[in-house]
Structure formats: structure tokens, C-alpha cells
Amino acid sequence: MRSRLSFPWLALRSMWLNARFYLPYLLSCALIVALHYDIQFLNMNTGTDLLPGASSVHGLLSVVVLAVDFFSIFLFVYTNSFLMKRRERELGLYSILGMERRHLRKLLRWETLFAGVISIGGGLLLGIGFSQLFVLLFRAVMQTDVALGFEVPKLAILYTAFVYGLMVLMNLVTNLVRVSFVRPIVLFHTTDVGDREPRTRRLVAIVGVMALGLGYSISFFDNPLENLGLFLLAVLLVIVATYCLFSSASIAILKRLRANASYYYQLRHFFPVANTLHRMRRNATGLATICVLSTMALVTASTTFGMYVGAGVGAAWGNTQEGRALVSAYFFVGLFLSILFLMACALIVYYKQVSEGYEDAPCFATMQQVGMSDDEVDLVVHGENSLAFLPPLAMAACHTLAALPITSRILLAFGITNMGLVLSCTALTLLVYGALYLIAFRIASRTYRRIVAWPAADAARRGYRTGRAVER
Amino acid sequence: MALLEVKHVKKVYKPRLVGVGVTALRDVSFSVRRGEFVAIMGESGSGKTTLLNILAALDKPTSGQVLLEGKDLARTRERDLAALRREHLGFVFQDFNLLDSLTVRDNIFLPLVLANVPHDEMERRLTPLVKTLGIERLVDQYPYELSGGQKQRTAVARALITRPSILLADEPTGALDSHAAESLLRTLGRMNARGQTVLMVTHSTNAASRATRVLFLKDGRVRKQIRRGERDSEAFYAAISRSLAATIRPQRGGATHA
Ligand SMILES: Nc1ncnc2c1ncn2[C@@H]1O[C@H](COP(=O)(O)OP(=O)(O)O)[C@@H](O)[C@H]1O
Ligand SMILES: [Mg+2]
């Protein structure tokens, strides 16, 4: 009988049945892989070597790659834990139906293998497609022949595949350990159990504040073009601080809001505050990732923008033939990275909203059964989204401002000394980015609204919450 | 005037693509007066949940009428239906349907938050209610920390805190062990004795024997009804078993007399 069970087939089938949860997961993983590849594409492009100051460019790009590697770890853990939570009930059911643990492990191994192949392979294709398209568009729009060409650096592919292969492996080990040591009945009930109420973590908050202070202060004296190591340290410190603060300060703030009865017991605050607080530990990773990507987009875009405008306004070399070629090459790099970060951020926002939508759908069904009207659903959805919207953006803006000394030092290397210009470029970038972010959030929230807006009777019958829908 | 009147309700679930629909309810009529405790019995799949969803205006009948306090649900606007649901109906589900992210207290407050009731009024209503239901010491806990019986009591508190005209319960003991079920049924009986109108659907004879009237649902119709009258629960239980044997499970009829 056992020989009849084909595990690869079973794994594919169960991924298909869980497409609703798997698809956003695969998409966000593929996206980060693409992001990683594309930065490596720049870094390893033979055209980059021809740039004056190539070694600085390589250095900065390497820092960015390391930063992406670094937060990919958080992101992979976050998306994986989201996915596994959805899957554990089904795995528990299998084990109650008589699958042994080693069968579950085998199933998970296949699933993870497929997921890894799809997200890494898909991500690489996505990244290659994007880089080629971007070179094409850039040449067409700017009408210049940038040194950077249509290449697909093999080393970039290998490096990316290696890094994310490791991450997939890390998730696999976590998942295997999880099914190995948990009793099946616990697996079965896990979605009901939910997250415990998170504790306020003072130590994490202190670490966060200290890391932030240290990271910010490095910005005031470090010149990244000279001391790359220190720059990398500052970037990593700020990333760590962001994750720490989002997972501690946010909990403290939400608890304070909840303790204020006249605020909390209003419809537009009640469920949003409780629900956001409840899953804040996992949520924090999503918000912090959005913040880090936003910061990267903002810093790159404002630097690029400042350089482009500054060169036009009259930096010494802005008027020569070679000077202009140089500016357009750097402009290419900056624009490429900015768009990349922006898109990655938008998709993470989307992923977060979609996966939380599926998580919240049964809650909205219950609230509708208890007597919530459609308008009130809108109100609550709006309340919940606005809690998630502003904090990452505000923190990213704060990081960007703290990075101003570094930004202006880089621009100084291009002969741009006009601080007023740098400031107004940064301000404008913030405004434009804020608008784009708002649009991305709107789109994601509309999807969230569609997911949670089930007719109440439908939700009641489908027995979504009891997991019957999964086996449908 | 009856509190709830159901007239010739029919419900056909249309197939998604083509083919014949499923007729869950063929022609159901009955009424409930204030203060009654009505149980509707039927086998699994007989349309009990469908019926309750229609009564709670969560779903629309294919034809027929539902009048709640004389008001036709079909002619009520969606927005008013939501208000009606939270002001006149209390709903208790087999699977509790509590929100995991809210404490017991906040789960119970949910309909009041929807109704914009001031916070001190919420607390005023909560205290006696949780005491009656025996969950006063659990109010600051989360649903995952509770047993099934405690969860269902919380759900009952959530249904009753709005002081609804009628409490609708869909197999409220279905997910409980016999001890918890017994104690929940006793609570429902007590609530009814204080004047709370209750309508419960169930396939458990034991649960139905606490009601003042039992309707038997089969093939989408109400086949029979019996009243408790002066009987105690045991005698009523026996009467229900006999009626079940005669109407719903005739093929197995002989066995239940033993
Ligand atoms: N959404 C639906 N679509 C199609 N058929 C349904 C739907 N909901 C219930 N049914 C069918 O209607 C009948 C009655 O279901 P239900 O009201 O859930 O019964 P009960 O609660 O008594 O077990 C069943 O045959 C069931 O398959
Ligand atoms: Mg049912």
C-alpha cells in the first residue's frame, strides 16, 4: 500500500490545494531572489568595471547585496512560518489518518524542494527578464548608450541560487524539526491556538534603540567611499534596529491603545488594534521588511536624483562629453536599484495584505454573523490598514533623513556641494515615494477587502474556521 | 402576534454551473411565540443550518416569508438587516466562532461595540451575565485557553449581551462532551425560564428534550410537532424518541422503545 503513495505527486497536489497560501509565498520569495540577482547583475556586469570609480560602485553594491541577504533571512522565516501555520492542520490530519512522521517529513521535503525550485528558478527568470527589459527601456528612453549591457552573469546566477538554496534548506530544517517534535493533535489544532498575546519585550526595545543610535551616529562621520566596512556595519545596525523596534515598540504602543477604553471600544479601533497586536510578532517582520526596502528605495532614489539634478545644474564635469556619459551610467544604476526596491516593497505589502486577508476572513465572517454591515466591514478594514500603513513609511523617512550626511558625502564626490539642492531632492523623493507607497497600499487593501468580504452565510456554511474548507 | 413567523419557506441551492439544484427546504412553516423554547430536530443534512441561516437573514429563501416581530426580512435593506441581527438576534454556533485575537470579555463585547454602546454600559451588562454563565473568572483569558464548554458559554454570553428577542442556536452541544453539553443545556433552560425565547436546531434527543416544543424536520418539511405540556424532561425524552421513530427514522423505529 505504501508503494502506491507517490510523494512527489502528493506534494504537488497538496501545494495545488493550498495554492491560495502557496502562491503569495512563492511570489514573494521569487521576488526577493529576483531582487538579489538584479543587484548582482549590476555588480558583475562587465560594463560596471568600465565605470570610473568602479571599485566604489562594486563596494556599495556588495553592501547592498549583503543587506538584502541579511533581511532575506527574516523574510524567509516570516513567510515560511505564515505558510506552515496554514499547513499544520492538514499535516496533523494526515498523521491522524495514519501517516507516519517519516511520511510527513518526506512530504515536506518534496514540498520544500518544489517550492525552492519554483521560487529560485522563477526568481532568476524574473530577475533576468527585468534586467534585460530595463537595459532596453533605458537605452530607448535616455537615447544614450550606457556601458552596461545585455548580460546574464553566470556568477550572479550561481551566487543567488546558492544563497537562497541555503535559505530554503534553513526553512526545510525548521519545518522538519517542527513536525518531528510536535504531537499530531497539536498540529491539528494549531490554527485554533493562534498566537499568544505577545509580551512587551523591553530588552529587545533597548537593543533596538541602541543599534539605531549607533547606526545613525556612524552616518555622521563615515564616508562609505572610503570606509566600506563601517558603512556595512551602519546598514546592518539600522536593519537590526528596525526589526527590534517593530517587534517591541509596536507591541507596547498597541497595548497602550488597548488599555484606553474610550479609544479601544470604538468599532474602527476595536478589532484592528486587538488583531494587529495579536499577530504582531509575525507582523513585525513584514512591517520591518517594508520599512527596510522603503529606506533602500528612498536613499538610492534621492541620491540618484540629487546627482542627476546636480550634474545638470553645474557640477564641474557635468558639461563634458565623458561627464555626461558617466552621469547617465550612474543614473542607470541608481534608477535600476530604486525601481527594484520600490517594486519589491510594493509586492511585500501585497503579500502581507493577502496572507493576512486569508487569516482574517473567518473573523470577518463571524463579525458579520454577529451583525456587522458591509459599511462597517469597510470601516474596520480601513482601521486595520491604517495601523499598518504609516509606521513603516515614517520610520523609512526617518532612516533616510539620518542617512543624509552619507548621501551628501557621496554626492560631494561628484562635485555636488549645494546642500539646499540635496535637501530639496530628498524631500521631493519622499513625497513621490509616499504617493507611490499609498497607491501600492490602496491596491493591496482592496484585495484584502475582497478576500475578507464573504457573504456571512457562505462563510458560516463553508466552515472555514474548522478547516473543513481545506479538504474540500 | 408571534415573535417569529415562517411561512412556506423553500430553499434551493442552485448549482454553480449546470444541473439540478439541491432542495434543502421544501415547504417549512411554523411560528414561535415570545418566551418559548423551541427545538427543531432533523438528521444531518436535513436543512437545519440552512433554516437558521435564513431566520438570521444570513441567507435568502428561494420563496416564502420570514417575519420577525411582524417585519418581513425579505423587504429589509441589507444595512438594516445587520442592525436587526445585532439588536434582535443572538446566534450560537456549533463551532463557537469566537475571535482568537480577542479576550473573553472583548468577544462578549463585540456586538455591543458594533452597536456603539458606551463602555461603562458594556461593563454593567457583562457582570451579571458572566456570573450566570459561570465564566466570571475567565473574562481576561483568550479562547485558546478555554475548554469547549467554556468557549460555548462565552458564545452564549456574546449572543445574550444585546438582550436579543430570540436566541438562535445551531447544534450548540455538537462539539461538547456530555458533561459540558449537559451544563450548557441547563443554562439554556434557565435562560428560557427567565423569559428568553430560544430556538435551537439539533439532532440530539437529549438536547431537544429541554425544549417546550419540538418540531421534526424531514425532506424539507416540518413533519410533526409535539409539546412538552406537563411532562418532565425524561417523559418528554421518551415522547421525542417515539416521534422520531415514527417520523424521521421509521426503519429503525422498534429499537428506540427499549
Ligand atoms: N452552499 C450550499 N450549496 C449547495 N448545497 C448546500 C449548501 N449548503 C447546504 N447544502 C445542502 O443542503 C442540505 C442541507 O444542509 P444543512 O442545512 O447544512 O443541513 P444540516 O445543518 O441539517 O446538517 C444538504 O444536502 C447540503 O448538502
Ligand atoms: Mg448543520
Side-chain angles (χ1 to χ4, degrees):
Chain A
M1 176 180 161
R2 196 166 66 80
S3 59
R4 285 253 197 106
L5 276 180
S6 150
F7 279 91
W9 172 244
L10 207 59
L12 280 179
R13 202 186 79 100
S14 101
M15 287 171 83
W16 175 251
L17 287 176
N18 287 289
R20 192 170 60 192
F21 306 122
Y22 252 113
L23 224 56
Y25 169 75
L26 292 176
L27 205 69
S28 68
C29 290
L31 191 89
I32 293 299
V33 171
L35 173 70
H36 194 274
Y37 166 81
D38 278 336
I39 301 166
Q40 292 290 25
F41 156 83
L42 279 188
N43 203 6
M44 295 172 176
N45 202 302
T46 43
T48 312
D49 295 331
L50 302 177
L51 290 175
S55 65
S56 303
V57 175
H58 283 312
L60 286 178
L61 287 175
S62 305
V63 169
V64 175
V65 164
L66 282 174
V68 171
D69 285 346
F70 191 65
F71 80 72
S72 296
I73 298 176
F74 289 95
L75 189 78
F76 267 61
V77 169
Y78 164 64
T79 48
N80 182 60
S81 85
F82 228 115
L83 180 71
M84 278 309 284
K85 239 176 135 54
R86 305 259 69 93
R87 300 273 293 104
E88 271 175 353
R89 172 187 292 281
E90 187 190 340
L91 294 178
L93 186 69
Y94 284 154
S95 84
I96 284 168
L97 292 178
M99 252 203 199
E100 290 167 38
R101 269 176 214 279
R102 64 195 169 93
H103 294 148
L104 288 185
R105 282 198 293 267
K106 206 163 173 185
L107 183 70
L108 269 185
R109 271 204 297 275
W110 279 107
E111 274 190 32
T112 313
L113 180 73
F114 287 134
V117 167
I118 293 172
S119 53
I120 295 176
L124 285 173
L125 287 179
L126 212 68
I128 292 169
F130 177 74
S131 59
Q132 303 305 303
L133 193 70
F134 188 82
V135 173
L136 198 74
L137 282 179
F138 188 84
R139 288 188 178 175
V141 173
M142 301 300 291
Q143 311 228 310
T144 53
D145 201 21
V146 276
L148 286 143
F150 294 103
E151 299 178 29
V152 181
K154 276 200 198 61
L155 207 58
I157 291 184
L158 285 178
Y159 183 19
T160 306
F162 175 72
V163 168
Y164 289 93
L166 280 184
M167 304 242 183
V168 169
L169 204 65
M170 173 186 79
N171 278 345
L172 178 65
V173 171
T174 324
N175 297 345
L176 290 183
V177 167
R178 219 158 149 176
V179 292
S180 298
F181 290 104
V182 168
R183 284 175 299 134
I185 194 70
V186 176
L187 281 179
F188 192 61
H189 284 297
T190 185
T191 322
D192 278 349
V193 170
D195 304 305
R196 323 234 131 188
E197 176 176 316
R199 252 179 242 135
T200 312
R201 293 186 292 178
R202 211 159 276 159
L203 192 68
V204 176
I206 293 171
V207 169
V209 169
M210 279 177 18
L212 195 68
L214 221 58
Y216 277 9
S217 61
I218 290 177
S219 158
F220 286 96
F221 60 82
D222 179 47
N223 186 341
L225 300 178
E226 281 158 17
N227 194 341
L228 209 56
L230 208 57
F231 179 57
L232 176 63
L233 182 68
V235 172
L236 295 189
L237 279 173
V238 170
I239 292 179
V240 167
T242 305
Y243 282 94
C244 286
L245 289 177
F246 269 105
S247 62
S248 59
S250 55
I251 290 172
I253 292 170
L254 285 167
K255 279 194 173 167
R256 182 153 298 184
L257 289 180
R258 195 180 56 173
N260 178 355
S262 61
Y263 172 90
Y264 177 55
Y265 289 111
Q266 284 177 25
L267 182 59
R268 72 161 68 89
H269 304 137
F270 180 65
F271 182 71
V273 168
N275 203 36
T276 309
L277 173 62
H278 191 68
R279 59 155 169 251
M280 199 60 214
R281 262 213 311 256
R282 279 177 303 133
N283 211 347
T285 319
L287 294 179
T289 306
I290 291 169
C291 174
V292 168
L293 281 169
S294 293
T295 309
M296 289 177 161
L298 280 168
V299 171
T300 336
S302 60
T303 312
T304 311
F305 189 34
M307 186 190 64
Y308 194 71
V309 175
V313 166
W317 42 272
N319 300 320
T320 65
Q321 185 72 37
E322 310 86 79
R324 249 179 266 124
L326 182 67
V327 169
S328 73
Y330 276 107
F331 186 59
F332 174 92
V333 173
L335 193 64
F336 183 80
L337 287 176
S338 311
I339 291 179
L340 217 52
F341 291 136
L342 176 69
M343 289 197 326
C345 184
L347 272 153
I348 297 294
V349 167
Y350 191 76
Y351 168 76
K352 183 178 160 305
Q353 295 297 88
V354 167
S355 47
E356 288 175 3
Y358 287 118
E359 194 159 279
D360 292 349
C363 300
F364 278 94
T366 300
M367 291 193 281
Q368 282 170 292
Q369 286 162 344
V370 171
M372 183 182 272
S373 67
D374 279 351
D375 291 348
E376 289 163 342
V377 171
D378 282 334
L379 192 71
V380 171
V381 167
H382 182 76
E384 191 160 13
N385 288 335
S386 35
L387 275 182
F389 171 79
L390 206 55
L393 187 63
M395 187 119 173
C398 184
H399 291 345
T400 308
L401 292 181
L404 261 177
I406 285 195
T407 316
S408 55
R409 248 174 254 130
I410 291 178
L411 289 175
L412 203 62
F414 286 94
I416 295 159
T417 49
N418 185 344
M419 258 323 271
L421 183 129
V422 174
L423 278 177
S424 34
C425 281
T426 306
L428 205 62
T429 310
L430 276 172
L431 274 181
V432 172
Y433 187 82
L436 291 175
Y437 180 78
L438 181 67
I439 292 171
F441 223 90
R442 274 277 163 80
I443 294 172
S445 302
R446 205 164 300 154
T447 313
Y448 175 93
R449 177 71 178 87
R450 252 206 325 273
I451 295 171
V452 300
W454 284 5
D458 224 32
R461 263 195 310 268
R462 283 198 219 179
Y464 193 102
R465 145 174 304 266
T466 54
R468 265 175 270 152
V470 178
E471 295 112 48
R472 185 178 33 155
Chain B
M1 183 184 67
L3 174 59
L4 177 72
E5 249 181 294
V6 180
K7 294 179 179 170
H8 305 292
V9 162
K10 175 177 181 175
K11 178 70 184 179
V12 182
Y13 286 112
K14 297 209 179 54
R16 225 172 269 273
L17 298 168
V18 282
V20 279
V22 178
T23 307
L25 300 173
R26 216 168 282 279
D27 182 5
V28 175
S29 302
F30 65 93
S31 64
V32 177
R33 271 179 294 128
R34 232 172 268 280
E36 272 194 298
F37 184 167
V38 177
I40 299 180
M41 284 197 78
E43 304 265 69
S44 172
S46 59
K48 303 186 295 294
T49 299
T50 304
L51 179 60
L52 269 200
N53 281 340
I54 289 173
L55 298 187
L58 292 166
D59 208 351
K60 287 193 168 60
T62 309
S63 64
Q65 242 184 346
V66 179
L67 304 175
L68 184 67
E69 297 185 325
K71 261 217 309 236
D72 187 350
L73 293 189
R75 296 203 186 157
T76 313
R77 282 177 310 159
E78 175 57 40
R79 178 185 316 225
D80 299 334
L81 280 181
L84 178 134
R85 222 174 278 146
R86 70 173 176 248
E87 280 155 26
H88 296 281
L89 301 174
F91 216 133
V92 177
F93 308 89
Q94 179 174 355
D95 302 318
F96 323 129
N97 287 8
L98 299 176
L99 302 188
D100 293 332
S101 53
L102 300 180
T103 58
V104 165
R105 176 200 308 272
D106 288 349
N107 262 294
I108 298 172
F109 281 167
L110 177 63
L112 297 183
V113 173
L114 287 169
N116 256 322
V117 172
H119 178 239
D120 46 350
E121 167 69 13
M122 293 183 188
E123 295 285 355
R124 250 203 310 280
R125 290 194 196 183
L126 183 77
T127 316
L129 189 57
V130 290
K131 202 170 245 167
T132 326
L133 290 167
I135 49 173
E136 70 266 43
R137 274 183 312 178
L138 304 174
V139 289
D140 289 317
Q141 292 187 312
Y142 283 90
Y144 63 78
E145 297 168 302
L146 306 185
S147 71
Q150 293 167 334
K151 281 187 199 175
Q152 197 58 301
R153 282 158 183 283
T154 306
V156 171
R158 180 181 66 188
L160 289 179
I161 198 152
T162 55
R163 299 168 181 163
S165 338
I166 184 164
L167 179 73
L168 301 173
D170 187 356
E171 310 217 24
T173 58
L176 303 181
D177 61 58
S178 60
H179 179 74
E182 183 58 34
S183 125
L184 183 80
L185 288 170
R186 237 179 296 138
T187 307
L188 288 181
R190 210 148 13 104
M191 292 297 175
N192 175 242
R194 293 184 186 182
Q196 176 66 53
T197 313
V198 181
L199 176 66
M200 169 176 74
V201 303
T202 180
H203 65 251
S204 149
T205 311
N206 181 34
S209 69
R210 314 308 169 93
T212 51
R213 183 153 64 102
V214 181
L215 308 179
F216 298 91
L217 194 64
K218 194 188 182 190
D219 297 331
R221 288 193 173 85
V222 175
R223 282 307 171 92
K224 186 179 163 82
Q225 64 165 323
I226 55 175
R227 288 174 194 280
R228 170 193 288 271
E230 298 303 312
R231 282 177 281 213
D232 63 10
S233 283
E234 257 169 65
F236 198 35
Y237 184 100
I240 295 168
S241 298
R242 279 195 299 278
S243 300
L244 268 183
T247 55
I248 293 186
R249 302 166 189 151
Q251 69 278 27
R252 278 176 276 153
T256 42
H257 283 289

